[in-house]
């Protein structure tokens, strides 16, 4: 069963005021700040209007443990994406499972590649991307590592 559930703008709007998405519980503080939640609510709204998908909650039972949000694909069908797992839930393989599920969803939706950035010191995120077959690509900023995975078989 996929750990992902399609998000709606109201999910992030609720997070912005300290409430969990409808029907879910939160594992604790630290997942997202109020400004980030409001930005993600707007991004979720735009993604749903433009392409019908792109923002997902990472769910384990009735607990929202994180989220995955894509950017808009470019003309080549490449889209950036980002993900976060609650600090209290890290180290259990949830990010890896969420990224794997998001890769499959992106492939099913017709994307040709996914792109991600990480902080060079974020060993956990680097492992998640490597285990999901992302490969390093030249970075556009010296303080970031960039990754790509082609999705077409």
């Amino acid at each position: 069963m996929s750990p992902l559930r399609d998000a709606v703008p109201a999910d992030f709007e609720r997070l912005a005021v300290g409430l969990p998405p409808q029907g879910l519980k939160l594992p604790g503080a630290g997942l997202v700040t109020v400004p980030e939640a409001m930005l993600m609510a707007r991004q979720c709204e735009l993604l749903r209007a433009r392409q019908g998908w792109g923002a997902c909650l990472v769910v384990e039972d009735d607990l929202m443990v994180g989220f995955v949000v894509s950017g808009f694909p470019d003309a080549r069908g490449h889209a950036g994406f980002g993900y976060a797992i609650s600090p209290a839930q890290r180290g259990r393989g949830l990010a890896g499972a969420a990224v794997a599920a998001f890769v499959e969803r992106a492939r099913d939706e017709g994307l040709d590649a996914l792109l991600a950035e990480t902080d060079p010191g974020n060993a956990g995120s680097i492992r998640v991307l490597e285990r999901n077959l992302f490969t390093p690509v030249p970075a556009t900023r010296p303080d970031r590592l960039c990754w790509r995975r082609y999705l077409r078989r």
Side-chain angles (χ1 to χ4, degrees):
M1 185 166 142
S2 175
L4 301 181
R5 178 180 108 179
D6 281 348
V8 296
D11 293 329
F12 294 108
E13 291 165 1
R14 288 177 61 87
L15 288 170
V17 295
L19 297 172
Q22 192 68 39
L24 296 175
K25 298 175 187 167
L26 291 175
L31 180 59
V32 63
T33 66
V34 170
E36 291 168 335
M38 292 309 296
L39 285 173
M40 285 188 282
R42 181 70 179 134
Q43 178 73 1
C44 182
E45 181 179 352
L46 294 171
L47 286 164
R48 289 176 64 83
R50 186 167 165 186
Q51 64 191 29
W53 79 285
C56 299
L57 304 179
V58 182
V59 177
E60 184 180 52
D61 299 321
D62 63 347
L63 194 64
M64 179 195 165
V65 297
F67 56 86
V68 183
V69 179
S70 76
F72 292 110
D74 64 17
R76 300 172 298 163
H78 296 197
F81 82 107
Y83 56 92
I85 299 294
S86 169
Q89 302 298 316
R90 292 180 186 157
R92 299 180 40 233
L94 297 170
V99 168
F102 196 78
V103 164
E104 290 303 313
R105 176 73 185 270
R107 180 183 290 131
D108 292 346
E109 294 290 343
L111 292 182
D112 290 320
L114 283 173
L115 308 164
E117 288 187 359
T118 59
D119 181 319
N122 190 339
S125 191
I126 291 168
R127 279 192 306 277
V128 164
L129 293 169
E130 288 175 338
R131 288 178 181 159
N132 277 285
L133 307 177
F134 283 77
T135 57
V137 296
T140 57
R141 294 178 18 204
D143 62 332
R144 305 298 285 166
L145 298 176
C146 293
W147 305 83
R148 176 178 53 216
R149 176 166 173 189
Y150 288 106
L151 305 179
R152 296 289 166 204
R153 293 182 177 136

